Amino acid sequence: MKMFYEMHSKNEQDLHLQRTIEIKEITRKRKRIETEEEKEKPKSKSVQYFLIVDGQRIQVCKKAFINVYNISNKKIRWLVDLLENNITLVDMRGKNISANTMPYEYCQKIHEHILSFPTKDTHYTTRLKNYLNPKLNVKTMHTMFLESIQN
């Protein structure tokens, strides 16, 4: 378990789980007596689950597999579907850059611009706080910032 949770990404964990699941054809098909209430499809595949202990694969039941890796039944169904279709999915979380993101250098310039204004110390509280001039507002500061960039 320590090895599984020390894997660097979710992609590595999913790949490890896919390697420990095998899908096989049904070896023995039996006729089922179906009642009106239970109209089930016959099984089309058999899934086997393995744990890797000291380099050896040990077959376990689905419930043990779920409990050892602490994953949900839904995740196992998802992995089995991927295996059936021969798909290795790549996790794209955190890879897209937001459209509202500004470059770091631009944010630094804004911060420096705000710090360039003189501040006044408060004298009403014991905590030290600095305030900008009350005549300044965001609009005027923004226009001044745009002017300073153009120059």
Side-chain angles (χ1 to χ4, degrees), residues 5-56:
Y5 286 112
E6 285 179 352
M7 291 182 180
H8 295 287
S9 68
K10 185 181 175 303
N11 292 333
E12 290 179 33
Q13 288 180 351
D14 289 344
L15 202 62
H16 173 75
L17 290 173
Q18 280 184 323
R19 283 191 224 120
T20 56
I21 297 174
E22 285 184 10
I23 301 174
K24 295 189 176 188
E25 294 293 320
I26 301 288
T27 54
R28 186 185 311 172
K29 294 185 180 183
R30 298 184 182 127
K31 258 191 170 179
R32 293 182 183 229
I33 301 170
E34 295 179 5
T35 63
E36 288 298 319
E37 298 150 2
E38 297 177 354
K39 291 252 179 187
E40 293 181 5
K41 291 183 191 176
K43 281 181 134 184
S44 62
K45 62 186 176 259
S46 174
V47 182
Q48 294 178 336
Y49 305 95
F50 297 90
L51 295 177
I52 300 173
V53 179
D54 296 330
Q56 291 187 340

